[in-house]
Amino acid sequence: MDIDDILLYDETLFKNIDAFNPDYIPEHFPHRKSQMEALAICIRPALRNGRPVNAVVLGSCATGKTTAIKKIFEMVEKTSSKVICVYINCQLHTTRFGIFSQIYQKIFGHTPPETGVPFSRIYQNIMQHLSSHEQALVVALDDINNLFYSKNANKIFYDILRAHEAFKGVKTGVFAILSDIEFRFMLDKNVNSIFIPQEIIFNPYTKEEMGDILRERVKIGFYGDVISDELLDEITEHASSSGDLRVGIDLLRISGNLAEADASKTIEEKHIKEALKSTGSINLTYTLKSLSDDEKVLLDIIRLAEDDLTAGSLYNAFNKRISSSYASFNRILNKLEFLRLVDTNFTGKGVKGNSRVVILRFDPEEIQKCMNPL
């Protein structure tokens, strides 16, 4: 089939292609009833003019944490106006202003001015609105480890949780969502004394649970009989082996696209085999998507370097692209190492032997390809 034919071919296997998007929120959400109930219990006091219960939501990637939060928030907002629920992706918003601009937008329908208005006025407008309307606020901070990398976590938690001390009657709560279950966060004692969270665990999906979820996505996303039970079982096996449900969802999407390009009315074994060539890069793709613009710039400098760089020479190159303090550069470099995109090894040279060499863990072409996946 020619390229023009592929682009203009008006028959499709997809009934709802959005069902295979990573941010798709399904109407039916199986295997997470107990966690949804725990989240509801945390919010329930706020529906009765009380203070919401804080929570730490723990679980590895692709275990349904974000979906559960968004669904429970949606349910709350459909049934009551007493609680304002705000979901914030801390991979995208890591500053105090960034976090509270998202809260401001949810309350007032637009973001505050980025310049000319002091943060104190934005904060005051938010809290006075909550006080005068007798509304509680629950803020879900997804991937909160990013707030600790940026060293803004304590101030943000303090601003939210201790608002009642300055604004009478204000009731606030935080759901802290953590995908890296090995990450250990520490809050200042002034914050910790009031946070005292309920811990809600999202265990990894079993193979059978993944199969149920993938069958549901097939039902929603494809027209009937597009994929056989045997091939769906094969995709489930790959997802289970990787430990990541997203691998299965991506295999369905890519296989469906490949079948359409072949003008096939069904997904065949060859389409899955071709799609599997992309799955080795899927987890890397998700990691790269999570990076901020500055983090991508630093990674790009490392990728393009012909030889391994010392941290000092890397900082000089980074500072030419983006004016940055060494502390900010070091934080970004530490995050890239934490995400296992790079390794840093001490050379024994430099001041006190602390000079580091930075080594890219992936093939540079693989990094570039994953920035623009199929």
Side-chain angles (χ1 to χ4, degrees), residues 148-324:
F148 287 88
Y149 297 139
S150 63
K151 299 183 179 179
N152 291 318
N154 281 296
K155 187 59 180 171
I156 291 167
F157 273 68
Y158 189 94
D159 287 339
I160 295 172
L161 295 176
R162 303 194 80 94
H164 66 279
E165 296 176 358
F167 299 90
K168 185 178 179 180
V170 168
K171 303 174 182 69
T172 55
V174 169
F175 289 175
I177 309 170
L178 199 56
S179 295
D180 176 15
I181 56 179
E182 297 299 321
F183 183 81
R184 293 291 176 262
F185 65 90
M186 294 291 291
L187 293 165
D188 289 346
K189 63 179 182 179
N190 288 338
V191 179
N192 228 17
S193 64
I194 195 170
F195 184 38
I196 316 174
Q198 173 77 32
E199 197 170 89
I200 302 173
I201 307 295
F202 282 68
N203 292 315
Y205 288 116
T206 66
K207 179 181 174 180
E208 291 72 23
E209 289 171 341
M210 285 188 180
D212 289 344
I213 295 168
L214 293 175
R215 275 189 290 275
E216 185 72 14
R217 292 298 175 95
V218 165
K219 182 179 178 181
I220 296 168
F222 289 127
Y223 287 104
D225 300 324
V226 164
I227 184 169
S228 68
D229 290 341
E230 291 76 17
L231 291 182
L232 182 55
D233 288 342
E234 182 179 330
I235 287 177
T236 301
E237 184 64 43
H238 286 295
S240 179
S241 297
S242 71
D244 193 332
L245 177 65
R246 296 173 301 187
V247 169
I249 293 172
D250 273 337
L251 276 174
L252 288 171
R253 175 180 57 82
I254 296 170
S255 298
N257 282 331
L258 292 170
E260 281 197 348
D262 272 352
S264 173
K265 293 183 179 180
T266 59
I267 293 172
E268 299 173 11
E269 179 74 30
K270 65 178 181 178
H271 301 132
I272 294 176
K273 286 182 177 179
E274 184 67 24
L276 278 169
K277 295 177 182 178
S278 303
T279 58
S281 303
I282 286 175
N283 289 335
L284 177 59
T285 299
Y286 281 115
T287 300
L288 295 178
K289 282 183 178 180
S290 75
L291 299 180
S292 69
D293 290 342
D294 288 358
E295 291 159 357
K296 289 177 181 177
V297 167
L298 184 60
L299 183 62
D300 200 49
I301 294 171
I302 299 169
R303 178 182 69 84
L304 294 172
E306 295 183 0
D307 299 304
D308 293 334
L309 297 167
T310 64
S313 61
L314 179 58
Y315 169 66
N316 290 333
F318 181 67
N319 199 37
K320 288 179 181 178
R321 294 270 298 271
I322 296 175
S323 181
S324 167

Side-chain angles (χ1 to χ4, degrees), residues 320-363:
K320 288 179 181 178
R321 294 270 298 271
I322 296 175
S323 181
S324 167
S325 67
Y326 192 86
S328 295
F329 157 80
N330 196 52
R331 176 186 60 77
I332 294 173
L333 180 58
N334 287 342
K335 181 176 178 181
L336 295 183
E337 184 174 24
F338 172 80
L339 293 173
R340 300 183 64 77
L341 294 170
V342 302
D343 284 326
T344 63
N345 295 328
F346 288 99
T347 64
K349 300 177 182 179
V351 179
K352 298 181 181 180
N354 288 335
S355 179
R356 290 180 294 170
V357 63
V358 181
I359 305 166
L360 189 66
R361 289 178 57 90
F362 294 87
D363 183 274

